[in-house]
Amino acid sequence: MINLKERIQSYQQKIPRAHTVSEGKLIRGIGLTLEAVGCQLPVGSQCLVQTIDGEIEAEVVGFAKDVTYLMPTQAVKGIVPGSRVQPLTREQGIPVGMELLGRVVDGNGQPLDGLGPIKTDKRVPLTRAPMNPLKRKPISKPLDVGVRAVNTMITVGQGQRMGLFAGSGVGKSVLMGMMTRGTNADVVVVGLVGERGREVKEFIHDILGDEERQKSVVVAAPADTSPLMRLKGCETAVCIAEYFRDQGMNVLLLIDSLTRYAMAQREIALAVGEPPATKGYPPSVFARLPALVERAGNGDTNQGSITAFYTVLVEGDDLQDPIADSARAILDGHIVLSRRLSEAGHFPAIDVEASISRVMPMVVSDEHLAASRRIRQVYSNYQQNRDLISIGAYSKGTDPRIDLAINAEPTLNQFFQQGMQQITPYDESLEAMVGIYQALGPG
């Protein structure tokens, strides 16, 4: 019986060598995809498509019999039937190195900031084999993000993957900027994917700031880029973060947003004929999400860590949205931003009740854990009875627990709020929380 290796070698011998480098021609262009014949290239290969205005780059995203499906990386114009398709031979991989710090690049790792080419000879492939989970270091110490509510109530461990769940306009980008300025990570990698182009410059100049930018790398693939570039934007950001982790550094990775990544994959998959499954999302979307998320985390004993925050846009503030539900299951915790708190002027609008860090018990002391549980208990008690209290239906003295919650509510609200430019270190946050805990007394 022929084993698998012999079958693969036999199959490769039957493929004409000329097919791997031969030129082809376009036979159809529908929607986002181009169809070509004559160029039998592997999926993921780059090629140039001749147009009446010049050449555009495209990538092979699928095939059916003799037809190869191409997805352009830029706007499609000037395409005519029979346009030449030429395999692109260039250095593969994403440029990496310390030269990337302070730079803004696109989904292919090419500079967008006008500061000239990135002078590095180091390149790494966009994808890599999954890491053996048994070789990862355990998450054992907290990461200071400079945000009081997160440091104390939803403590993040170094190497943890967290989701930032919110509807549009609730303050996700601002909270990301606060964590970027307040973190004690060695390097910050930010992926701005599928968002408004205006927000890219605002994030870099207004939210990130000049000082923090020197230890940051920004990968930008705005909403007006092709779905292929948006898809690559996330993967390039993760790829750069992996490089710095492999050098022994502790990296903070911020991806805004994971939802746009899923939407880009949906556009590509539907364009090449993959059937939709859940609310229009094809199965490949739910296969790619964990593959992307699992690349973050701790490395082995000789490597650093990637602590990752992925923003998830919940459509209509519905936390049961397919992407939100899938992301919540594969992440190590989630921070939920509340529109109600945002509209009330409570910033950051973190819903402490709905947020959780799954690794918090492993990275904080017993006193810290007891204090956070007690504060969460009192805060939740007030929120559950908020309507009764606000309309005057509750009589003071009826329930001592509610009385305590009413008295503590102004202090807790002040504790959870924080100015956009204000950074509260971890030790200072913990000291303030312990003070509140002692004032509340045991439960």
Side-chain angles (χ1 to χ4, degrees), residues 161-165 172 176 191-195 230-231 234-235 238 253-266 281 285 288-294 308-314 321-331 333:
R161 285 83 52 102
M162 290 285 285
L164 200 57
F165 291 72
K172 298 187 300 297
M176 285 176 60
L192 301 176
V193 176
E195 300 298 323
R230 280 177 266 142
L231 201 70
C234 278
E235 295 172 351
V238 174
L253 171 66
L254 305 172
I255 298 290
D256 186 13
S257 71
L258 196 64
T259 306
R260 305 300 187 195
Y261 175 82
M263 288 180 174
Q265 174 59 21
R266 176 174 66 177
Y281 288 98
V285 171
R288 295 195 75 143
L289 283 177
L292 181 78
V293 168
E294 283 295 323
F309 285 85
Y310 303 89
T311 68
V312 180
L313 180 64
V314 289
D321 173 80
I323 300 303
D325 195 47
S326 177
R328 192 164 51 244
I330 59 179
L331 293 169

Tab-separated table of all heavy atoms in Angstrom, residues 161-165 172 176 191-195 230-231 234-235 238 253-266 281 285 288-294 308-314 321-331 333:
chain	number	residue	atom	x	y	z
A	161	ARG	N	-5.098	36.898	26.184
A	161	ARG	CA	-5.829	37.418	25.016
A	161	ARG	C	-7.194	37.902	25.487
A	161	ARG	O	-8.001	37.117	25.985
A	161	ARG	CB	-6.023	36.334	23.957
A	161	ARG	CG	-4.794	35.978	23.145
A	161	ARG	CD	-3.872	34.989	23.817
A	161	ARG	NE	-4.554	33.789	24.268
A	161	ARG	CZ	-4.509	32.629	23.626
A	161	ARG	NH1	-3.831	32.515	22.528
A	161	ARG	NH2	-5.129	31.564	24.114
A	162	MET	N	-7.461	39.204	25.361
A	162	MET	CA	-8.697	39.810	25.846
A	162	MET	C	-9.498	40.392	24.690
A	162	MET	O	-8.937	40.871	23.706
A	162	MET	CB	-8.392	40.921	26.850
A	162	MET	CG	-7.846	40.451	28.177
A	162	MET	SD	-9.117	39.715	29.227
A	162	MET	CE	-9.982	41.178	29.776
A	163	GLY	N	-10.819	40.367	24.845
A	163	GLY	CA	-11.703	40.994	23.880
A	163	GLY	C	-12.257	42.286	24.438
A	163	GLY	O	-12.520	42.393	25.634
A	164	LEU	N	-12.407	43.286	23.581
A	164	LEU	CA	-12.982	44.577	23.959
A	164	LEU	C	-14.284	44.714	23.174
A	164	LEU	O	-14.273	45.033	21.988
A	164	LEU	CB	-12.000	45.694	23.611
A	164	LEU	CG	-12.150	47.043	24.293
A	164	LEU	CD1	-12.081	46.889	25.806
A	164	LEU	CD2	-11.065	47.989	23.823
A	165	PHE	N	-15.417	44.417	23.832
A	165	PHE	CA	-16.707	44.318	23.160
A	165	PHE	C	-17.481	45.617	23.320
A	165	PHE	O	-17.686	46.094	24.448
A	165	PHE	CB	-17.530	43.172	23.755
A	165	PHE	CG	-16.980	41.805	23.455
A	165	PHE	CD1	-15.826	41.350	24.058
A	165	PHE	CD2	-17.624	40.974	22.555
A	165	PHE	CE1	-15.314	40.097	23.775
A	165	PHE	CE2	-17.126	39.713	22.268
A	165	PHE	CZ	-15.971	39.279	22.877
A	172	LYS	N	-14.034	52.571	22.221
A	172	LYS	CA	-13.052	51.492	22.115
A	172	LYS	C	-11.657	52.035	21.796
A	172	LYS	O	-10.675	51.676	22.444
A	172	LYS	CB	-13.473	50.494	21.020
A	172	LYS	CG	-14.784	49.779	21.262
A	172	LYS	CD	-15.022	48.694	20.230
A	172	LYS	CE	-15.066	49.219	18.814
A	172	LYS	NZ	-16.167	50.168	18.563
A	176	MET	N	-8.189	51.944	24.011
A	176	MET	CA	-6.965	51.342	23.474
A	176	MET	C	-5.789	52.297	23.602
A	176	MET	O	-4.673	51.907	23.968
A	176	MET	CB	-7.169	50.945	22.009
A	176	MET	CG	-8.003	49.699	21.805
A	176	MET	SD	-8.297	49.364	20.055
A	176	MET	CE	-6.643	49.167	19.446
A	191	GLY	N	-2.914	47.281	15.251
A	191	GLY	CA	-3.496	46.989	13.942
A	191	GLY	C	-4.827	47.716	13.796
A	191	GLY	O	-5.802	47.367	14.464
A	192	LEU	N	-4.878	48.757	12.963
A	192	LEU	CA	-6.113	49.510	12.706
A	192	LEU	C	-6.688	48.991	11.392
A	192	LEU	O	-6.256	49.397	10.309
A	192	LEU	CB	-5.818	51.007	12.643
A	192	LEU	CG	-5.189	51.612	13.910
A	192	LEU	CD1	-4.859	53.083	13.694
A	192	LEU	CD2	-6.107	51.437	15.109
A	193	VAL	N	-7.648	48.106	11.497
A	193	VAL	CA	-8.124	47.358	10.333
A	193	VAL	C	-9.604	47.612	10.099
A	193	VAL	O	-10.431	47.395	10.998
A	193	VAL	CB	-7.876	45.843	10.533
A	193	VAL	CG1	-8.445	45.053	9.370
A	193	VAL	CG2	-6.388	45.570	10.700
A	194	GLY	N	-9.939	48.089	8.909
A	194	GLY	CA	-11.329	48.240	8.528
A	194	GLY	C	-12.032	49.425	9.149
A	194	GLY	O	-13.249	49.570	9.009
A	195	GLU	N	-11.300	50.303	9.834
A	195	GLU	CA	-11.915	51.476	10.451
A	195	GLU	C	-11.827	52.673	9.503
A	195	GLU	O	-11.232	52.605	8.442
A	195	GLU	CB	-11.221	51.792	11.783
A	195	GLU	CG	-11.299	50.663	12.804
A	195	GLU	CD	-12.722	50.326	13.202
A	195	GLU	OE1	-13.558	51.242	13.310
A	195	GLU	OE2	-13.027	49.128	13.383
A	230	ARG	N	-7.331	44.208	4.180
A	230	ARG	CA	-7.838	44.239	5.552
A	230	ARG	C	-7.519	42.916	6.265
A	230	ARG	O	-7.171	42.901	7.445
A	230	ARG	CB	-9.341	44.502	5.551
A	230	ARG	CG	-9.698	45.976	5.365
A	230	ARG	CD	-11.186	46.168	5.299
A	230	ARG	NE	-11.671	46.161	3.931
A	230	ARG	CZ	-12.812	45.619	3.535
A	230	ARG	NH1	-13.590	45.002	4.402
A	230	ARG	NH2	-13.175	45.681	2.281
A	231	LEU	N	-7.648	41.837	5.516
A	231	LEU	CA	-7.320	40.527	6.076
A	231	LEU	C	-5.836	40.456	6.429
A	231	LEU	O	-5.450	40.023	7.509
A	231	LEU	CB	-7.677	39.439	5.059
A	231	LEU	CG	-7.881	38.017	5.566
A	231	LEU	CD1	-9.152	37.921	6.394
A	231	LEU	CD2	-7.946	37.041	4.393
A	234	CYS	N	-4.499	42.500	9.770
A	234	CYS	CA	-4.495	41.800	11.060
A	234	CYS	C	-3.335	40.814	11.144
A	234	CYS	O	-2.624	40.750	12.154
A	234	CYS	CB	-5.816	41.051	11.257
A	234	CYS	SG	-7.172	42.071	11.856
A	235	GLU	N	-3.151	40.039	10.079
A	235	GLU	CA	-2.121	38.998	10.097
A	235	GLU	C	-0.717	39.598	10.133
A	235	GLU	O	0.183	39.052	10.761
A	235	GLU	CB	-2.310	38.084	8.893
A	235	GLU	CG	-3.626	37.300	8.961
A	235	GLU	CD	-3.930	36.524	7.694
A	235	GLU	OE1	-3.215	36.723	6.690
A	235	GLU	OE2	-4.883	35.732	7.704
A	238	VAL	N	-0.015	40.740	13.735
A	238	VAL	CA	0.315	39.581	14.573
A	238	VAL	C	1.718	39.070	14.236
A	238	VAL	O	2.494	38.702	15.134
A	238	VAL	CB	-0.731	38.459	14.390
A	238	VAL	CG1	-0.328	37.201	15.137
A	238	VAL	CG2	-2.103	38.931	14.859
A	253	LEU	N	-0.297	43.822	21.969
A	253	LEU	CA	-0.883	43.807	20.631
A	253	LEU	C	-2.320	44.287	20.715
A	253	LEU	O	-3.132	43.748	21.471
A	253	LEU	CB	-0.829	42.388	20.044
A	253	LEU	CG	-1.581	42.150	18.739
A	253	LEU	CD1	-0.946	42.943	17.597
A	253	LEU	CD2	-1.613	40.659	18.391
A	254	LEU	N	-2.646	45.320	19.938
A	254	LEU	CA	-4.004	45.869	19.893
A	254	LEU	C	-4.534	45.738	18.469
A	254	LEU	O	-3.941	46.293	17.539
A	254	LEU	CB	-4.008	47.339	20.324
A	254	LEU	CG	-3.404	47.656	21.694
A	254	LEU	CD1	-3.295	49.163	21.898
A	254	LEU	CD2	-4.224	47.039	22.806
A	255	ILE	N	-5.625	45.002	18.299
A	255	ILE	CA	-6.230	44.820	16.980
A	255	ILE	C	-7.613	45.474	16.992
A	255	ILE	O	-8.485	45.090	17.765
A	255	ILE	CB	-6.378	43.332	16.615
A	255	ILE	CG1	-5.012	42.645	16.546
A	255	ILE	CG2	-7.134	43.173	15.297
A	255	ILE	CD1	-4.151	43.071	15.385
A	256	ASP	N	-7.804	46.457	16.145
A	256	ASP	CA	-9.086	47.155	16.030
A	256	ASP	C	-9.510	47.111	14.559
A	256	ASP	O	-9.033	47.902	13.755
A	256	ASP	CB	-8.920	48.597	16.512
A	256	ASP	CG	-10.222	49.378	16.583
A	256	ASP	OD1	-11.288	48.746	16.506
A	256	ASP	OD2	-10.156	50.612	16.709
A	257	SER	N	-10.356	46.167	14.126
A	257	SER	CA	-11.100	45.314	15.014
A	257	SER	C	-11.145	43.893	14.446
A	257	SER	O	-10.969	43.676	13.239
A	257	SER	CB	-12.534	45.844	15.173
A	257	SER	OG	-13.270	45.651	13.996
A	258	LEU	N	-11.418	42.928	15.336
A	258	LEU	CA	-11.532	41.526	14.943
A	258	LEU	C	-12.761	41.313	14.064
A	258	LEU	O	-12.782	40.454	13.186
A	258	LEU	CB	-11.623	40.662	16.199
A	258	LEU	CG	-11.369	39.159	16.037
A	258	LEU	CD1	-9.943	38.917	15.593
A	258	LEU	CD2	-11.645	38.420	17.337
A	259	THR	N	-13.781	42.122	14.286
A	259	THR	CA	-15.009	42.012	13.484
A	259	THR	C	-14.736	42.356	12.024
A	259	THR	O	-15.245	41.700	11.110
A	259	THR	CB	-16.098	42.936	14.044
A	259	THR	OG1	-16.282	42.654	15.432
A	259	THR	CG2	-17.411	42.740	13.319
A	260	ARG	N	-13.940	43.407	11.784
A	260	ARG	CA	-13.615	43.795	10.404
A	260	ARG	C	-12.788	42.710	9.716
A	260	ARG	O	-12.879	42.512	8.508
A	260	ARG	CB	-12.856	45.118	10.393
A	260	ARG	CG	-13.556	46.265	11.101
A	260	ARG	CD	-14.906	46.604	10.500
A	260	ARG	NE	-15.465	47.800	11.102
A	260	ARG	CZ	-16.730	48.171	10.983
A	260	ARG	NH1	-17.579	47.422	10.289
A	260	ARG	NH2	-17.156	49.282	11.545
A	261	TYR	N	-11.949	42.027	10.490
A	261	TYR	CA	-11.185	40.898	9.953
A	261	TYR	C	-12.135	39.799	9.488
A	261	TYR	O	-11.992	39.256	8.385
A	261	TYR	CB	-10.241	40.378	11.039
A	261	TYR	CG	-9.471	39.130	10.670
A	261	TYR	CD1	-8.313	39.203	9.912
A	261	TYR	CD2	-9.889	37.875	11.105
A	261	TYR	CE1	-7.591	38.068	9.596
A	261	TYR	CE2	-9.175	36.729	10.787
A	261	TYR	CZ	-8.023	36.833	10.031
A	261	TYR	OH	-7.324	35.701	9.704
A	262	ALA	N	-13.137	39.498	10.316
A	262	ALA	CA	-14.117	38.470	9.955
A	262	ALA	C	-14.932	38.903	8.738
A	262	ALA	O	-15.237	38.086	7.859
A	262	ALA	CB	-15.039	38.192	11.143
A	263	MET	N	-15.285	40.176	8.676
A	263	MET	CA	-16.066	40.677	7.537
A	263	MET	C	-15.260	40.616	6.246
A	263	MET	O	-15.799	40.316	5.174
A	263	MET	CB	-16.520	42.112	7.809
A	263	MET	CG	-17.615	42.231	8.852
A	263	MET	SD	-18.097	43.956	9.126
A	263	MET	CE	-19.497	43.740	10.227
A	264	ALA	N	-13.957	40.904	6.330
A	264	ALA	CA	-13.105	40.818	5.141
A	264	ALA	C	-13.036	39.387	4.630
A	264	ALA	O	-13.138	39.140	3.415
A	264	ALA	CB	-11.717	41.345	5.462
A	265	GLN	N	-12.877	38.424	5.541
A	265	GLN	CA	-12.852	37.023	5.138
A	265	GLN	C	-14.196	36.606	4.566
A	265	GLN	O	-14.258	35.815	3.614
A	265	GLN	CB	-12.477	36.149	6.334
A	265	GLN	CG	-12.556	34.649	6.074
A	265	GLN	CD	-11.654	34.177	4.946
A	265	GLN	OE1	-10.696	34.856	4.591
A	265	GLN	NE2	-11.954	33.019	4.376
A	266	ARG	N	-15.286	37.133	5.119
A	266	ARG	CA	-16.614	36.818	4.576
A	266	ARG	C	-16.743	37.316	3.143
A	266	ARG	O	-17.259	36.603	2.266
A	266	ARG	CB	-17.706	37.447	5.450
A	266	ARG	CG	-19.118	37.237	4.900
A	266	ARG	CD	-20.196	37.732	5.853
A	266	ARG	NE	-20.152	39.170	6.027
A	266	ARG	CZ	-21.029	39.851	6.767
A	266	ARG	NH1	-21.995	39.205	7.416
A	266	ARG	NH2	-20.937	41.164	6.892
A	281	TYR	N	-22.165	34.489	7.436
A	281	TYR	CA	-20.737	34.194	7.587
A	281	TYR	C	-20.458	32.762	7.157
A	281	TYR	O	-21.068	31.827	7.678
A	281	TYR	CB	-20.295	34.368	9.039
A	281	TYR	CG	-20.234	35.808	9.498
A	281	TYR	CD1	-21.281	36.372	10.211
A	281	TYR	CD2	-19.126	36.599	9.210
A	281	TYR	CE1	-21.230	37.693	10.633
A	281	TYR	CE2	-19.066	37.919	9.627
A	281	TYR	CZ	-20.133	38.460	10.343
A	281	TYR	OH	-20.066	39.766	10.750
A	285	VAL	N	-14.696	31.642	8.085
A	285	VAL	CA	-14.525	32.748	9.035
A	285	VAL	C	-14.272	32.203	10.430
A	285	VAL	O	-13.363	32.639	11.147
A	285	VAL	CB	-15.764	33.664	9.031
A	285	VAL	CG1	-15.687	34.678	10.173
A	285	VAL	CG2	-15.889	34.384	7.698
A	288	ARG	N	-10.778	30.751	10.750
A	288	ARG	CA	-9.650	31.673	10.763
A	288	ARG	C	-9.544	32.458	12.068
A	288	ARG	O	-8.441	32.848	12.462
A	288	ARG	CB	-9.748	32.645	9.583
A	288	ARG	CG	-9.621	31.968	8.238
A	288	ARG	CD	-9.365	32.954	7.129
A	288	ARG	NE	-7.992	33.454	7.153
A	288	ARG	CZ	-7.283	33.711	6.070
A	288	ARG	NH1	-7.793	33.477	4.880
A	288	ARG	NH2	-6.068	34.190	6.159
A	289	LEU	N	-10.663	32.707	12.742
A	289	LEU	CA	-10.619	33.487	13.973
A	289	LEU	C	-9.728	32.847	15.039
A	289	LEU	O	-8.816	33.503	15.560
A	289	LEU	CB	-12.036	33.717	14.515
A	289	LEU	CG	-12.878	34.784	13.819
A	289	LEU	CD1	-14.275	34.841	14.428
A	289	LEU	CD2	-12.211	36.152	13.927
A	290	PRO	N	-9.961	31.574	15.411
A	290	PRO	CA	-9.073	30.981	16.422
A	290	PRO	C	-7.638	30.848	15.943
A	290	PRO	O	-6.700	30.935	16.749
A	290	PRO	CB	-9.715	29.617	16.702
A	290	PRO	CG	-10.587	29.325	15.537
A	290	PRO	CD	-11.047	30.652	15.032
A	291	ALA	N	-7.438	30.631	14.629
A	291	ALA	CA	-6.075	30.520	14.106
A	291	ALA	C	-5.316	31.831	14.307
A	291	ALA	O	-4.106	31.824	14.596
A	291	ALA	CB	-6.112	30.155	12.621
A	292	LEU	N	-6.009	32.971	14.176
A	292	LEU	CA	-5.378	34.275	14.383
A	292	LEU	C	-5.143	34.535	15.868
A	292	LEU	O	-4.050	34.940	16.283
A	292	LEU	CB	-6.257	35.375	13.791
A	292	LEU	CG	-5.704	36.797	13.922
A	292	LEU	CD1	-4.632	37.047	12.873
A	292	LEU	CD2	-6.816	37.837	13.792
A	293	VAL	N	-6.168	34.290	16.683
A	293	VAL	CA	-6.093	34.601	18.114
A	293	VAL	C	-5.035	33.754	18.814
A	293	VAL	O	-4.288	34.245	19.676
A	293	VAL	CB	-7.480	34.402	18.765
A	293	VAL	CG1	-7.375	34.438	20.285
A	293	VAL	CG2	-8.453	35.461	18.262
A	294	GLU	N	-4.929	32.469	18.447
A	294	GLU	CA	-4.012	31.557	19.132
A	294	GLU	C	-2.540	31.878	18.878
A	294	GLU	O	-1.666	31.361	19.566
A	294	GLU	CB	-4.290	30.109	18.711
A	294	GLU	CG	-5.508	29.491	19.367
A	294	GLU	CD	-5.346	29.336	20.870
A	294	GLU	OE1	-4.224	29.026	21.319
A	294	GLU	OE2	-6.333	29.535	21.589
A	308	ALA	N	-2.644	40.457	24.135
A	308	ALA	CA	-3.424	40.956	23.003
A	308	ALA	C	-4.806	41.432	23.437
A	308	ALA	O	-5.471	40.796	24.254
A	308	ALA	CB	-3.561	39.865	21.942
A	309	PHE	N	-5.215	42.567	22.877
A	309	PHE	CA	-6.572	43.081	23.023
A	309	PHE	C	-7.180	43.174	21.622
A	309	PHE	O	-6.622	43.827	20.744
A	309	PHE	CB	-6.582	44.468	23.673
A	309	PHE	CG	-6.307	44.458	25.146
A	309	PHE	CD1	-5.006	44.465	25.613
A	309	PHE	CD2	-7.343	44.444	26.059
A	309	PHE	CE1	-4.737	44.452	26.973
A	309	PHE	CE2	-7.088	44.431	27.423
A	309	PHE	CZ	-5.790	44.434	27.876
A	310	TYR	N	-8.312	42.505	21.442
A	310	TYR	CA	-9.014	42.517	20.156
A	310	TYR	C	-10.358	43.222	20.359
A	310	TYR	O	-11.172	42.769	21.178
A	310	TYR	CB	-9.276	41.099	19.653
A	310	TYR	CG	-8.043	40.237	19.507
A	310	TYR	CD1	-7.583	39.468	20.564
A	310	TYR	CD2	-7.342	40.191	18.306
A	310	TYR	CE1	-6.459	38.662	20.445
A	310	TYR	CE2	-6.218	39.393	18.174
A	310	TYR	CZ	-5.779	38.635	19.240
A	310	TYR	OH	-4.661	37.847	19.108
A	311	THR	N	-10.595	44.294	19.635
A	311	THR	CA	-11.903	44.931	19.743
A	311	THR	C	-12.898	44.150	18.888
A	311	THR	O	-12.566	43.662	17.798
A	311	THR	CB	-11.872	46.400	19.281
A	311	THR	OG1	-11.635	46.462	17.880
A	311	THR	CG2	-10.808	47.181	20.016
A	312	VAL	N	-14.101	44.011	19.412
A	312	VAL	CA	-15.171	43.292	18.713
A	312	VAL	C	-16.369	44.222	18.632
A	312	VAL	O	-16.903	44.646	19.665
A	312	VAL	CB	-15.541	41.992	19.458
A	312	VAL	CG1	-16.658	41.261	18.716
A	312	VAL	CG2	-14.324	41.086	19.606
A	313	LEU	N	-16.767	44.569	17.417
A	313	LEU	CA	-17.894	45.460	17.212
A	313	LEU	C	-19.187	44.650	17.278
A	313	LEU	O	-19.423	43.787	16.438
A	313	LEU	CB	-17.776	46.150	15.846
A	313	LEU	CG	-18.876	47.133	15.475
A	313	LEU	CD1	-18.877	48.329	16.422
A	313	LEU	CD2	-18.710	47.604	14.033
A	314	VAL	N	-19.998	44.895	18.280
A	314	VAL	CA	-21.253	44.156	18.430
A	314	VAL	C	-22.358	44.947	17.737
A	314	VAL	O	-22.665	46.073	18.119
A	314	VAL	CB	-21.586	43.904	19.915
A	314	VAL	CG1	-20.644	42.890	20.497
A	314	VAL	CG2	-21.504	45.176	20.743
A	321	ASP	N	-24.222	38.338	18.859
A	321	ASP	CA	-23.831	38.358	17.452
A	321	ASP	C	-22.864	37.203	17.189
A	321	ASP	O	-22.047	36.864	18.046
A	321	ASP	CB	-23.168	39.711	17.150
A	321	ASP	CG	-22.580	39.769	15.765
A	321	ASP	OD1	-23.349	39.989	14.818
A	321	ASP	OD2	-21.358	39.592	15.637
A	322	PRO	N	-22.917	36.537	16.014
A	322	PRO	CA	-22.076	35.351	15.773
A	322	PRO	C	-20.582	35.575	16.010
A	322	PRO	O	-19.917	34.727	16.609
A	322	PRO	CB	-22.354	35.007	14.310
A	322	PRO	CG	-23.699	35.552	14.035
A	322	PRO	CD	-23.831	36.779	14.875
A	323	ILE	N	-20.058	36.707	15.554
A	323	ILE	CA	-18.631	36.970	15.735
A	323	ILE	C	-18.316	37.241	17.204
A	323	ILE	O	-17.327	36.744	17.746
A	323	ILE	CB	-18.176	38.154	14.856
A	323	ILE	CG1	-18.423	37.823	13.374
A	323	ILE	CG2	-16.709	38.458	15.098
A	323	ILE	CD1	-17.742	36.564	12.890
A	324	ALA	N	-19.170	38.015	17.875
A	324	ALA	CA	-18.959	38.300	19.292
A	324	ALA	C	-19.028	37.015	20.112
A	324	ALA	O	-18.207	36.787	21.013
A	324	ALA	CB	-20.003	39.308	19.781
A	325	ASP	N	-19.990	36.179	19.797
A	325	ASP	CA	-20.154	34.926	20.542
A	325	ASP	C	-18.968	33.996	20.319
A	325	ASP	O	-18.461	33.365	21.245
A	325	ASP	CB	-21.455	34.247	20.105
A	325	ASP	CG	-21.889	33.152	21.066
A	325	ASP	OD1	-21.876	33.388	22.282
A	325	ASP	OD2	-22.223	32.053	20.595
A	326	SER	N	-18.498	33.915	19.072
A	326	SER	CA	-17.356	33.062	18.758
A	326	SER	C	-16.080	33.590	19.414
A	326	SER	O	-15.297	32.828	19.967
A	326	SER	CB	-17.177	32.977	17.241
A	326	SER	OG	-16.040	32.223	16.889
A	327	ALA	N	-15.892	34.917	19.363
A	327	ALA	CA	-14.691	35.514	19.957
A	327	ALA	C	-14.667	35.323	21.468
A	327	ALA	O	-13.620	35.028	22.050
A	327	ALA	CB	-14.630	36.998	19.609
A	328	ARG	N	-15.818	35.462	22.099
A	328	ARG	CA	-15.884	35.323	23.552
A	328	ARG	C	-15.466	33.912	23.984
A	328	ARG	O	-14.886	33.724	25.053
A	328	ARG	CB	-17.300	35.651	24.029
A	328	ARG	CG	-17.438	35.828	25.526
A	328	ARG	CD	-18.727	36.511	25.923
A	328	ARG	NE	-19.887	35.881	25.319
A	328	ARG	CZ	-20.696	36.471	24.453
A	328	ARG	NH1	-20.473	37.723	24.083
A	328	ARG	NH2	-21.730	35.839	23.941
A	329	ALA	N	-15.745	32.935	23.137
A	329	ALA	CA	-15.433	31.542	23.476
A	329	ALA	C	-13.950	31.224	23.333
A	329	ALA	O	-13.445	30.327	24.012
A	329	ALA	CB	-16.245	30.603	22.590
A	330	ILE	N	-13.229	31.944	22.467
A	330	ILE	CA	-11.824	31.604	22.214
A	330	ILE	C	-10.847	32.540	22.912
A	330	ILE	O	-9.642	32.282	22.907
A	330	ILE	CB	-11.520	31.584	20.698
A	330	ILE	CG1	-11.826	32.937	20.067
A	330	ILE	CG2	-12.300	30.484	20.015
A	330	ILE	CD1	-11.529	33.009	18.585
A	331	LEU	N	-11.362	33.614	23.540
A	331	LEU	CA	-10.492	34.553	24.235
A	331	LEU	C	-10.403	34.211	25.724
A	331	LEU	O	-11.199	33.435	26.241
A	331	LEU	CB	-11.003	35.985	24.048
A	331	LEU	CG	-10.917	36.539	22.618
A	331	LEU	CD1	-11.696	37.839	22.496
A	331	LEU	CD2	-9.473	36.744	22.205
A	333	GLY	N	-10.903	36.238	28.186
A	333	GLY	CA	-11.676	37.189	28.965
A	333	GLY	C	-12.203	38.287	28.068
A	333	GLY	O	-11.854	38.366	26.887
